[in-house]
Amino acid sequence: MGSEIHEYFLFLISHFSLIRSMKVLFIGDIVGKTGRAAVKALLPTVTSRYRVDLVIANGENAAGGFGINEKVAAEIFHCGVHIITSGNHIWDKKESIPYIAKENRIIRPLNYPPGVPGFGSVIHSVNGIKVGIINLSGRVFMSSLDCPFRSGKEEIERLAEQTRIIIVDFHAEATSEKIAFGYYIDGKVSAVIGTHTHVQTADEKILPQGTAFITDVGMTGPAFSVIGVEKEQIIERFLLQMPMKFDTAKGDGIFSAVVMEIDEKTGQATAIQRLQLTYP
């Protein structure tokens, strides 16, 4: 009886040792100084608690609330972020275009027309395991770029020749477009994480074919604001319908993210958890 129990435990150990998972943290759109401060303060605790292997963050609004530059990117990388994704505000700091053109740890939407500088995807190694990260922009209520469905699928097929773990930042306004894209490539990627609206949705799930999904991961930035901007300015804009300068809000912050667990062998997601923490 004792030998049978011993053999059973050996079987369990050998079985579960073959199932290796990777923990990926995706941080929602970092907005301005408050967002960067929240990342700096909270990221070490989050990565330790959830034993995170890879950290991805959308940083298209990290510099003053609009765009990103080399100094701000360096600050975010120093905090422990490995890859920065972006969206329609990636070119707002025009002086940073040469930097974005050469820094492959910052990726811009893949579906910009041919000839646009920068990288639409990247392969990043995590403990010897390759991970593909793709950035796409939606087209509904957004700029009219190339089709994210067709260009995304083509890039997924290209990256799949190198890795089964692929994560997509789908930067889009319309929830329907994000959800449709998630089902369109379900089973072909590990995760589709929606960004852009700055409001975290409560629909995180594993789709039927094994892709982790959330319509929008939310914002990491000023808590008492209108999607990161001073609330009084936005209210005045709605009241008067006049163009005006928008300033990034100050004060307390929120840290919005999701933690995903991905099977390293199959590339399928096994769990996704939504996070929203306050700072300070």
Side-chain angles (χ1 to χ4, degrees):
M1 182 70 176
S3 62
E4 291 178 356
I5 294 174
H6 179 69
E7 288 178 4
Y8 177 69
F9 276 110
L10 287 178
F11 166 77
L12 289 178
I13 292 170
S14 63
H15 176 69
F16 285 108
S17 65
L18 296 175
I19 304 174
R20 296 185 57 186
S21 62
M22 178 182 295
K23 295 284 190 69
V24 179
L25 177 72
F26 194 108
I27 303 171
D29 305 44
I30 301 172
V31 178
K33 187 175 182 180
T34 299
R36 302 197 310 270
V39 171
K40 183 178 181 180
L42 299 175
L43 184 55
T45 300
V46 172
T47 54
S48 175
R49 177 179 178 182
Y50 293 96
R51 299 180 180 179
V52 171
D53 301 297
L54 173 64
V55 181
I56 305 168
N58 187 293
E60 68 151 7
N61 297 300
F66 302 92
I68 191 167
N69 58 37
E70 185 171 357
K71 180 180 178 182
V72 165
E75 180 183 339
I76 294 171
F77 288 136
H78 184 71
C79 290
V81 173
H82 299 104
I83 301 295
I84 298 174
T85 59
S86 62
N88 57 302
H89 288 291
I90 184 63
W91 312 118
D92 283 7
K93 306 297 184 193
K94 295 177 177 57
E95 68 277 10
S96 299
I97 292 176
Y99 170 66
I100 295 168
K102 66 180 181 180
E103 176 56 84
N104 68 356
R105 291 179 298 169
I106 299 176
I107 58 175
R108 47 82 174 163
L110 174 81
N111 52 319
Y112 272 105
V116 171
F119 303 85
S121 68
V122 68
I123 293 281
H124 183 80
S125 291
V126 180
N127 301 322
I129 304 294
K130 292 181 178 180
V131 179
I133 302 104
I134 301 173
N135 200 176
L136 291 167
S137 176
R139 297 192 293 183
V140 180
F141 310 124
M142 303 278 283
S143 297
S144 183
L145 303 181
D146 294 344
C147 177
F149 287 72
R150 290 187 172 90
S151 57
K153 184 179 180 182
E154 183 178 326
E155 186 69 0
I156 289 162
E157 291 171 352
R158 188 184 74 83
L159 294 183
E161 296 177 358
Q162 303 179 62
T163 179
R164 292 188 177 185
I165 303 176
I166 301 173
I167 298 164
V168 179
D169 175 345
F170 197 86
H171 196 80
E173 184 78 28
T175 56
S176 59
E177 189 177 19
K178 298 179 189 182
I179 295 169
F181 183 81
Y183 284 114
Y184 177 65
I185 59 167
D186 182 22
K188 297 179 176 65
V189 301
S190 306
V192 174
I193 307 301
T195 60
H196 180 65
T197 67
H198 292 197
V199 179
Q200 190 179 78
T201 55
D203 64 338
E204 73 281 9
K205 61 176 71 71
I206 306 297
L207 299 179
Q209 302 303 315
T211 294
F213 176 84
I214 187 168
T215 298
D216 203 287
V217 66
M219 175 188 72
T220 297
F224 301 104
S225 67
V226 178
I227 61 173
V229 177
E230 289 284 1
K231 54 186 181 296
E232 292 80 10
Q233 293 176 343
I234 298 295
I235 292 170
E236 187 176 0
R237 175 72 173 87
F238 280 116
L239 287 172
L240 302 181
Q241 293 296 304
M242 294 287 291
M244 59 187 63
K245 182 179 181 293
F246 290 153
D247 297 310
T248 306
K250 300 177 176 60
D252 294 347
I254 54 172
F255 178 100
S256 301
V258 289
V259 178
M260 299 165 283
E261 190 165 346
I262 299 169
D263 187 312
E264 292 182 355
K265 185 177 181 180
T266 66
Q268 292 187 334
T270 56
I272 179 170
Q273 180 178 348
R274 188 164 36 95
L275 303 177
Q276 192 167 92
L277 309 175
T278 58
Y279 165 81

